[in-house]
Amino acid sequence: MDKDFREEEFTEVIKFTPPLYKQRYQFVKDLVEKYKPKKVADVGCADCRLLWMLKFCSCIEVLAGLDICASVMKEKMHTLSPLPVDYLQPSERSLTVTLHHGSIAHKDPCMLGFDLVTCIELIEHLEESELKKFPEVVFGFMAPSIVVISTPNSEFNPLLPGVVLYRHPDHKFEWNQAQFQSWALDAAKCYDYSVEFTGVGHPPRGMENVGFCTQIGVFVRKYPQTGESVQSEKPPEAVYKTVFKAVYPSLKDEKYLQNAVVSEVIFTAQNIKHHLMSKHEEEEDGDDPERKSRFWPSVDYFSDYLRKLVVDQTMEPFVNGNEVYIPLVTIFSFPKVNRLCGTFEKLCKLIAGKVTLSSDGSAVVFNTEHE
Ligand code: SAH
């Protein structure tokens, strides 16, 4: 794999900061920030580094990698698995990460439906026959809204001492700017895309005419995909092998949403209860602010909030003997609970049987005796 294995060795002469591969990945990340694609496929994903970076982009819900070399993909694919923190604090978005073993020269239905397809330092590794099929598979079959393709610019090579023919022994060719642009423009024209050229890795001052070290084409589909164009052909048989799949815990999944809501309801109710109890203590101890803050350091926020909130009697928490009643409407009006549940009915549904409620179901009840 490419990891700038030689580009970075040439640092005596040309030093790229950050390293060129990171600049390429950053370029893709910026593109994701700009277009906010939900489904992204990285073709020639190698050791999944770009995919790993992309999993932190909150707009992405589906990430897929494809590589012809299963062993390089497997090396670090564990880094794409959810971490314990993802289970402790499930994200609001859903995220599925899948890795497929196969060649971009073949069509597979699992590659349909993507918004962005990235091919970073891939095409120069393709055999002539594969390169020939590439436009039809990527632009014609996958047909995402955006395709980004990066490849070495051979005009830059004389500035990289040590490069005899190509920058990497597995490269089948390296194109100059005119060659890449002519290939890209042909593909764009054939499949109704527009293309803009840019790159990363600036040439030294005074040598601007050689262009970027890595040349990049960003292709944008001209027309939205219609249902007709999607279904006009019978989908091909599956030929790729799925080697990895991770479904991240998400609040879109009712199971995780219920856990989050129950925890938040109990946390909120407990804070309100502390507020009430501290008021009781205050009344008993006189007005000793030091004592109050010593026992209930987080109460002030709730006191203020509750004061603003409790406009009618039905929302007011109260103590009855050993029991503290905190109306669900009060809990529902707290921003986080409100945002998680959306509606009051949903709140009631999610906490049913999970939190102790008053007999009419309108309030959370704590028994202070059992604490
Ligand atoms: N995109 C990565 C890796 C680039 S190296 C990066 O920027 O670091 C090119 C990768 O393409 C290799 O991992 C190689 O195994 C893969 N590759 C080569 N031919 C392929 C093909 N026909 N289909 C899919 N992947 C291919």
Side-chain angles (χ1 to χ4, degrees), residues 1-4 21 24-25 42-50 66-70 72-73 100-106 118-127 130-131 134 150 168 170-172 240:
M1 190 222 4
D2 246 7
K3 213 52 67 214
D4 277 1
Y21 76 91
R24 289 193 284 262
Y25 295 169
D42 185 28
V43 179
C45 63
D47 62 1
C48 311
R49 275 219 228 180
L50 178 58
L66 170 70
D67 205 288
I68 202 166
C69 178
V72 71
M73 262 193 304
H100 305 283
H101 175 218
S103 169
I104 193 59
H106 301 135
T118 59
C119 308
I120 303 303
E121 306 298 275
L122 164 74
I123 58 170
E124 66 277 9
H125 291 266
L126 301 181
E127 302 285 352
E130 296 175 316
L131 184 69
F134 178 93
S150 86
H168 189 284
D170 188 51
H171 287 180
K172 311 297 185 297
Y240 296 167

Side-chain angles (χ1 to χ4, degrees), residues 26-38:
Q26 190 57 46
F27 182 90
V28 173
K29 245 189 138 185
D30 293 344
L31 215 59
V32 167
E33 294 307 324
K34 183 173 167 194
Y35 290 101
K36 306 252 178 277
K38 276 191 179 173

Side-chain angles (χ1 to χ4, degrees), residues 96-117:
T96 304
V97 186
T98 322
L99 295 178
H100 305 283
H101 175 218
S103 169
I104 193 59
H106 301 135
K107 294 176 186 170
D108 187 297
C110 73
M111 282 286 145
L112 290 172
F114 287 92
D115 304 308
L116 168 67
V117 171

Side-chain angles (χ1 to χ4, degrees), residues 110-270:
C110 73
M111 282 286 145
L112 290 172
F114 287 92
D115 304 308
L116 168 67
V117 171
T118 59
C119 308
I120 303 303
E121 306 298 275
L122 164 74
I123 58 170
E124 66 277 9
H125 291 266
L126 301 181
E127 302 285 352
E128 206 181 325
S129 60
E130 296 175 316
L131 184 69
K132 230 171 155 189
K133 291 188 185 134
F134 178 93
E136 198 208 320
V137 177
V138 174
F139 299 107
F141 171 69
M142 294 175 75
S145 325
I146 301 158
V147 178
V148 55
I149 297 179
S150 86
T151 193
N153 165 20
S154 64
E155 286 164 82
F156 204 99
N157 287 357
L159 299 174
L160 305 173
V163 173
V164 181
L165 181 63
Y166 299 141
R167 295 182 198 177
H168 189 284
D170 188 51
H171 287 180
K172 311 297 185 297
F173 60 89
E174 283 177 6
W175 282 334
N176 62 29
Q177 296 174 88
Q179 287 170 314
F180 175 55
Q181 292 182 14
S182 141
W183 175 85
L185 285 165
D186 278 354
K189 192 166 165 223
C190 185
Y191 296 98
D192 283 329
Y193 279 76
S194 62
V195 56
E196 281 188 14
F197 299 101
T198 176
V200 291
H202 281 274
R205 215 173 300 149
M207 304 193 77
E208 285 78 10
N209 60 326
V210 300
F212 292 103
C213 189
T214 296
Q215 45 186 344
I216 298 177
V218 179
F219 302 72
V220 178
R221 203 182 55 222
K222 284 189 185 160
Y223 312 108
Q225 244 189 343
T226 61
E228 211 177 283
S229 60
V230 175
Q231 285 152 25
S232 62
E233 266 183 54
K234 191 170 149 268
E237 299 277 306
V239 282
Y240 296 167
K241 189 171 167 233
T242 303
V243 292
F244 175 88
K245 183 166 179 175
V247 179
Y248 277 64
S250 154
L251 295 177
K252 292 222 168 90
D253 179 335
E254 192 93 350
K255 172 177 80 195
Y256 292 110
L257 179 65
Q258 183 172 48
N259 276 344
V261 168
V262 168
S263 311
E264 196 59 32
V265 164
I266 293 172
F267 172 77
T268 307
Q270 238 150 13

Side-chain angles (χ1 to χ4, degrees), residues 274 278 281 290-299:
H274 284 170
S278 72
E281 288 205 354
E290 220 182 86
R291 183 188 153 85
K292 180 184 150 197
S293 62
R294 203 167 55 235
F295 280 90
W296 313 114
S298 65
V299 155

Side-chain angles (χ1 to χ4, degrees), residues 304-316:
D304 290 347
Y305 189 74
L306 269 177
R307 216 172 297 126
K308 280 188 214 127
L309 196 71
V310 176
V311 283
D312 70 77
Q313 290 278 303
T314 56
M315 288 180 86
E316 188 143 28

